[in-house]
Amino acid sequence: MNIQDYNDLTPEIIVGEADHKQLNILAMAGLTHTPDQSDDLLYELERARVLNDAEVPSDIVRMGSSVHYRTDNGQEHMMTLVYPVDADIATGRISIMTPVGTALIGLRVGQSISWRSRDNRKHMLTVLAVRQPVAAE
């Protein structure tokens, strides 16, 4: 159930060097207890264009970004992409180690991606807006 097996839409994604390094470590560490999600994240990181952190455009979803996106059923969500330890869906903090979190990383405003939920249903989301944390600006 890897993201690459089901992704009809695979837009170019951009990831900064620091996020790329940290997310690779996280995904490798997760291979034993969350293998499917770790594989999906590793796939996304492998296909990403990696840029110097200062060169990553401000409209790219990175760790700590607040993202406004629309799903294929028309619902709009505002989430902040975080590491698993900081995740709290009730406060809008979504883990990178979720199917949606992995789908969001590296996308820019206007891009869409298809992904599979944990119950294996196919979905699509479109990024409407990205706001970077103050420290990243």
Side-chain angles (χ1 to χ4, degrees):
M1 174 170 36
N2 293 334
I3 203 167
Q4 65 267 30
D5 294 336
Y6 300 108
N7 242 349
D8 294 332
L9 289 172
T10 51
E12 177 187 59
I13 60 173
I14 297 171
V15 177
E17 289 174 342
D19 281 351
H20 194 265
K21 180 180 178 183
Q22 287 302 115
L23 293 174
N24 265 296
I25 292 168
L26 178 67
M28 294 299 288
L31 284 173
T32 56
H33 57 285
T34 55
D36 288 342
Q37 197 56 45
S38 292
D39 281 345
D40 289 349
L41 181 55
L42 287 168
Y43 172 76
E44 290 298 286
L45 293 170
E46 183 178 292
R47 72 181 197 83
R49 183 162 56 114
V50 181
L51 297 179
N52 179 293
D53 293 327
E55 296 173 358
V56 177
S58 63
D59 66 341
I60 298 289
V61 178
R62 60 178 97 176
M63 295 306 296
S65 297
S66 293
V67 186
H68 181 200
Y69 65 93
R70 181 176 35 245
T71 59
D72 48 349
N73 64 7
Q75 291 186 329
E76 293 187 15
H77 303 274
M78 178 66 117
M79 296 284 173
T80 299
L81 188 61
V82 298
Y83 289 97
V85 68
D86 299 317
D88 181 0
I89 201 69
T91 61
R93 297 165 60 86
I94 190 166
S95 171
I96 183 68
M97 292 302 288
T98 62
V100 172
T102 297
L104 286 170
I105 191 73
L107 291 178
R108 77 179 335 138
V109 173
Q111 285 184 313
S112 299
I113 192 167
S114 60
W115 55 280
R116 291 269 177 180
S117 59
R118 289 186 173 135
D119 63 2
N120 205 30
R121 289 184 299 146
K122 189 173 182 177
H123 301 277
M124 188 178 74
L125 62 80
T126 301
V127 175
L128 303 175
V130 176
R131 189 178 74 236
Q132 300 304 335
V134 174
E137 291 178 346

